[in-house]
């Protein structure tokens, strides 16, 4: 044990003892000289280009660090925009689903509205057809006009007629006479005709439902020749019945465009339309007070050739009325 401790102590002393190398003085002096020479010539060896290269290298390293920072920032921005995109896509998908749901609800509402409209049209056609038959009774008409909703009924009648004519397509060749819509307006026009056939009804229409009279005259001018002839005939019959009332005749004849309207209707290919247009014209001619105001316009615009052609019609009633009217029109020569 003592021997081992002695060996360990000798080794520690050997490690701490300084070591020296013997060099000849001449070699040391030469080494010193060379070191001094290196110190003098080193700046010349390391020239400006190399220093500039190091400076550029430093600048590049600095730029790389900045670029790395920018790339890192761009990555963060990219992540941010990706998150926003995902949110926007989620919102878009949600909105699309909401729109699809709303569109489905709208389609369902349209379908329900269409069904309700069809039901109302069918019900209106049925009720008004029944009322058309009832309105041929004088007492029934008096009861209708005595009700609190009479004015409202004829206002709705005018609106319904106008809506029906607006719904007619431009290229429609003929009207479906069996449709609920057609039967609805025919029944309404028939009711008006029956009401106007009575003195109390004419007075009511002239006093409280002039909007209906204006609408009928306007619609007669809007509908193409040959279209909805039965509807036209019923409206012309209504106007003719109203013209039996002097106040009604004055109102109708003084309406703007009334005389041109008659000429327009006389060119309709349907004989019934022409027949009732002539009847309405005859009402004006046979009332001196009304004729005095319309004579000048009639002389300037009256289609005598058309009336002469109608006087040769194969329809006996139309032929007879046209001939009678030509005789009545001679009064215009004396009025001139």
């Amino acid at each position: 044990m003592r021997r081992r401790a002695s060996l360990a102590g000798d080794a520690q002393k050997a490690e701490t003892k300084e070591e020296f190398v013997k060099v000849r003085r001449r070699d040391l002096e030469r080494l010193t000289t060379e070191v001094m020479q290196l110190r003098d010539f080193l700046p010349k060896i390391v020239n400006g280009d190399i220093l500039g290269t190091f400076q550029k290298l430093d600048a590049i390293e600095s730029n790389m660090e900045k670029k790395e920072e920018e790339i890192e920032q761009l990555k963060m921005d990219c992540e941010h925009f990706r998150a926003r995109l995902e949110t926007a896509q989620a919102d878009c998908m949600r909105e699309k689903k909401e729109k699809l749901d709303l569109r489905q609800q709208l389609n369902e509402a349209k379908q329900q509205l269409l069904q309700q409209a069809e039901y109302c049209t069918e019900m209106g056609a049925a009720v008004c057809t029944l009322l058309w038959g009832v309105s041929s009774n004088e007492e029934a008409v008096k009861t209708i006009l005595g009700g609190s909703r009479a004015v409202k009924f004829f206002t709705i009648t005018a609106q319904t007629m106008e809506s029906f004519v607006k719904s007619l397509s431009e290229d429609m060749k003929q009207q479906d006479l069996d449709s609920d819509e057609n039967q609805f307006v025919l029944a309404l026009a028939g009711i008006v005709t029956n009401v106007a056939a009575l003195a109390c009804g004419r007075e009511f229409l002239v006093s409280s439902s002039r909007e209906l009279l204006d609408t009928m005259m306007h619609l007669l001018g809007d509908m193409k020749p040959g279209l909805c002839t039965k509807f036209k005939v019923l409206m012309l019959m209504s106007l003719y019945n109203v013209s039996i009332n002097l106040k009604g005749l004055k109102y109708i004849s003084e309406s703007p465009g009334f005389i041109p309207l008659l000429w327009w209707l006389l060119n309709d290919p349907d004989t019934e339309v022409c027949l009732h247009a002539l009847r309405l014209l005859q009402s004006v001619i046979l009332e001196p007070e009304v004729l005095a105001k319309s004579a000048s316009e009639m002389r300037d615009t009256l289609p005598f050739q058309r009336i002469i052609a109608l006087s040769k019609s194969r329809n006996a009633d139309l032929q007879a009325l046209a001939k009678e009217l030509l005789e009545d029109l001679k009064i215009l020569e004396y009025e001139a």
Side-chain angles (χ1 to χ4, degrees), residues 202-203 206 241-254 283 287-291:
R202 292 190 286 272
E203 184 64 30
V206 175
N241 287 344
V242 172
S243 72
I244 298 174
N245 180 298
L246 180 58
K247 185 166 60 173
L249 179 59
K250 288 180 178 180
Y251 181 78
I252 292 173
S253 63
E254 293 173 4
S283 289
E287 181 55 50
E289 183 181 350
V290 176
L291 178 62

Side-chain angles (χ1 to χ4, degrees), residues 125-264:
V127 172
C128 288
T129 299
L130 293 174
L131 188 58
W132 185 4
V134 172
S135 65
S136 60
N137 180 280
E138 183 176 355
E139 292 302 319
V141 172
K142 290 180 179 180
T143 301
I144 292 172
L145 299 181
S148 60
R149 307 290 290 179
V151 174
K152 183 66 174 178
F153 172 78
F154 289 111
T155 299
I156 295 174
T157 296
Q159 294 171 352
T160 303
M161 289 179 172
E162 186 174 18
S163 177
F164 171 76
V165 173
K166 285 182 178 179
S167 70
L168 298 177
S169 60
E170 291 295 329
D171 58 348
M172 180 175 283
K173 300 300 181 183
Q174 60 182 6
Q175 182 66 20
D176 182 6
L177 299 179
D178 296 327
S179 69
D180 290 327
E181 292 85 355
N182 189 74
Q183 186 58 38
F184 193 1
V185 294
L186 287 180
L188 289 173
I191 294 168
V192 177
T193 301
N194 286 345
V195 170
L198 300 175
C200 62
R202 292 190 286 272
E203 184 64 30
F204 180 89
L205 292 175
V206 175
S207 302
S208 304
S209 297
R210 291 187 174 185
E211 179 185 351
L212 174 59
L213 301 179
D214 293 338
T215 299
M216 288 193 295
M217 287 187 283
H218 175 72
L219 297 180
L220 284 168
D222 275 356
M223 288 187 288
K224 292 182 177 181
L227 183 65
C228 300
T229 55
K230 190 172 183 180
F231 184 39
K232 287 180 181 178
V233 168
L234 286 170
M235 289 193 291
L236 282 169
M237 290 175 64
S238 298
L239 293 174
Y240 173 76
N241 287 344
V242 172
S243 72
I244 298 174
N245 180 298
L246 180 58
K247 185 166 60 173
L249 179 59
K250 288 180 178 180
Y251 181 78
I252 292 173
S253 63
E254 293 173 4
S255 297
F258 173 68
I259 300 300
L261 172 62
L262 290 178
W263 308 158
W264 165 257

Side-chain angles (χ1 to χ4, degrees), residues 225-226 229-230 233 265 267-275 306 318:
T229 55
K230 190 172 183 180
V233 168
L265 292 170
N267 287 303
D268 197 284
D270 186 80
T271 56
E272 285 293 309
V273 173
C274 293
L275 176 66
R306 176 59 178 167
L318 180 59

